[in-house]
Amino acid sequence: MGTVAEIVDAGRLRTALAEVRSDSSGLYRKSWVVVGHVNNDPLLIDVVQSDTSPDASLEGLQGQLRDDQVMYCLLRLTTTFDVSTTVKFVYIHWVGDKVPFAKKGRFGVVSGSIEQHFSPYHLVVETGSIEDLAENILIQRLEESSGTRNKVVEGSIEGRQERGFTAHAVKKQEKGSVRSVAPAGVVVETTQELQDAIADVRRDDQPSNWVLAGFEAGDVKRPLVVIAVGTGGIEEIKAHLDDNQVMYALYRTTDVYDEIQTVKFVYLYWIGERVKPLTKGKVSAYSGPVEKIFSPAHITMLFSNKHDIREEVIKDKVMASSGSKLCVK
C-alpha cells in the first residue's frame, strides 16, 4: 500500500481551507473544514463538510465527527492576551474510539501526507474524544503552546542548587551505530558522532547545550547524522534549520521550582515548510524510532515555522509540564 493519500476534489479542499483562513467573513469566528476517507479507502480523501460563515460553531464541527472513522480537520479560533486578540488554527487528527486496531494502522501510514495539506497551524490535537475538543480546553492548549498562559516572574537563581538529569546519571553509550526499531519494523541508524553529541548535551561537564540532527543527504534510508552542535541556545539552533529538510534537536534548558534550578531536556521535531509531501509521508513512519534516540526528554515540540520557535514559548511549555508555572514567585 502507498503512503500518500489522493484528494478526490483538490480544488474544493484548497478553497475550503483558504476560506477558513480568510478574514473576509469576519475576523473572530470559528470556521472549520472536515476531511474524511472515501469509502474507507486509506488512499482516498475528500471534504466531508465545512462552515466558514460568521455563525460557524465548534458544535457544528463536532457533529461531523464519527466514532468509527478517521478524519482530519482545520479549526479557526481566537485567543486573547493583554487585550490583544489573535487568530489561531488547530489541526485535528480524529481517530474514533470504534475504529478497529488494524484500520488505525493502515490509515496511520498516510496520515503524514494528509497533514501537510493543513499546514501551517498553531496546534495539533490527536484524539477520539469530543471532550478533548471543548473550546476551553483548546484555548488553554493554544495559550500554553504560544507562551501566553500564566507567565511566571523568576528571581535570580545564582548560587541555587541545580538538579535534574546530571552527568553522573548518564550511562556512556556503547560504540557503534544505534538501531532504533519501530513496531512496524522501521529501522533508524545513527552515527557514533551523533551518539556522543547527544551524550555531551546531557553532561554537566560539557559546554554544549544543543545538538541538531538530520538524515544524511536528506535520505530517510540513511543514518541520522550531526548537522550542528552549539552552546548558544534556541536562536543558534534556528540559524541551522532548513525549510527543505526534516530535522531533530535535543535542547538543554533549565526550570526553577521551589528556588531550585532543574535541568530540563526538550526534543524538537522540525518539518520545514518546503518539505515535499512524499517525504513528509515517509518520515512520519520514523517519528517514533527517532524520538527514542533522543529520549529521555521532558517535552516534545513540533515546528515548521522558525518564527514560532522562541525561548519564551519553550520555557512556558517546560514550566507547564513540571508544574513550576503555578508556583509564582
Side-chain angles (χ1 to χ4, degrees):
M1 189 182 82
T3 59
V4 179
E6 296 184 5
I7 308 168
V8 173
D9 190 340
R12 182 187 178 195
L13 177 58
R14 284 195 299 269
T15 299
L17 291 172
E19 289 178 349
V20 169
R21 297 184 186 280
S22 174
D23 296 337
S24 60
S25 297
L27 186 62
Y28 310 125
R29 67 187 199 281
K30 300 180 180 68
S31 296
W32 50 264
V33 57
V34 177
V35 172
H37 289 271
V38 178
N39 297 325
N40 284 318
D41 186 344
L43 300 179
L44 207 58
I45 60 172
D46 201 9
V47 174
V48 174
Q49 188 62 267
S50 65
D51 190 348
T52 60
S53 70
D55 297 325
S57 67
L58 186 55
E59 291 76 14
L61 180 150
Q62 295 170 351
Q64 298 296 323
L65 302 175
R66 300 290 179 263
D67 288 341
D68 59 348
Q69 296 295 317
V70 177
M71 309 178 85
Y72 316 88
C73 319
L74 185 68
L75 169 66
R76 176 190 180 112
L77 290 174
T78 53
T79 61
T80 302
F81 180 65
D82 285 347
V83 196
S84 298
T85 301
T86 307
V87 176
K88 299 288 187 178
F89 296 99
V90 181
Y91 171 63
I92 301 169
H93 182 189
W94 172 267
V95 182
D97 292 339
K98 296 181 181 179
V99 175
F101 181 79
K103 182 177 178 179
K104 290 180 181 179
R106 294 196 305 273
F107 284 67
V109 173
V110 300
S111 61
S113 71
I114 297 172
E115 182 177 340
Q116 57 91 20
H117 294 293
F118 294 82
S119 181
Y121 42 76
H122 300 89
L123 177 69
V124 178
V125 176
E126 296 185 2
T127 186
S129 172
I130 293 295
E131 293 179 357
D132 292 337
L133 302 180
E135 184 173 358
N136 63 318
I137 292 177
L138 293 175
I139 294 297
Q140 177 179 330
R141 293 188 62 180
L142 282 166
E143 290 174 345
E144 290 174 350
S145 67
S146 65
T148 60
R149 186 174 180 81
N150 291 346
K151 290 294 183 181
V152 178
V153 179
E154 297 183 11
S156 171
I157 59 175
E158 183 177 359
R160 295 177 183 174
Q161 178 183 354
E162 180 176 322
R163 67 183 181 187
F165 292 125
T166 55
H168 65 269
V170 177
K171 295 183 179 179
K172 183 68 175 178
Q173 295 178 324
E174 297 180 359
K175 297 295 181 181
S177 65
V178 169
R179 291 164 60 88
S180 181
V181 185
V186 175
V187 176
V188 177
E189 296 188 356
T190 70
T191 62
Q192 183 61 47
E193 180 186 15
L194 178 56
Q195 297 175 48
D196 293 340
I198 291 173
D200 285 347
V201 170
R202 298 190 184 281
R203 292 173 60 90
D204 292 338
D205 59 355
Q206 295 295 318
S208 60
N209 66 355
W210 63 268
V211 55
L212 179 67
F215 289 102
E216 188 177 38
D219 186 347
V220 296
K221 296 180 180 179
R222 294 191 178 187
L224 276 178
V225 298
V226 173
I227 302 297
V229 296
T231 60
I234 285 298
E235 292 303 317
E236 201 172 58
I237 296 175
K238 288 168 62 174
H240 293 276
L241 296 176
D242 187 338
D243 286 334
N244 297 291
Q245 298 293 328
V246 177
M247 309 171 88
Y248 312 90
L250 184 67
Y251 174 50
R252 178 187 177 118
T253 185
T254 56
D255 186 25
V256 176
Y257 188 77
D258 284 346
E259 299 185 353
I260 298 176
Q261 181 171 289
T262 308
V263 175
K264 299 290 184 180
F265 294 99
V266 181
Y267 171 61
L268 302 174
Y269 182 9
W270 167 261
I271 304 179
E273 292 182 328
R274 292 198 292 268
V275 173
K276 296 178 180 178
L278 182 60
T279 301
K280 290 182 179 181
K282 288 181 179 179
V283 298
S284 65
Y286 290 77
S287 59
V290 172
E291 185 170 356
K292 184 177 179 181
I293 291 169
F294 289 85
S295 66
H298 295 89
I299 62 170
T300 297
M301 302 187 73
L302 170 65
F303 294 102
S304 60
N305 189 313
K306 293 180 183 179
H307 297 296
D308 294 334
I309 308 176
R310 303 191 306 276
E311 183 68 33
E312 61 268 26
V313 172
I314 294 174
K315 284 283 190 182
D316 195 62
K317 189 79 170 180
V318 168
M319 289 189 293
S321 68
S322 66
S324 63
K325 72 189 301 181
L326 304 177
C327 186
V328 181
K329 300 299 179 185

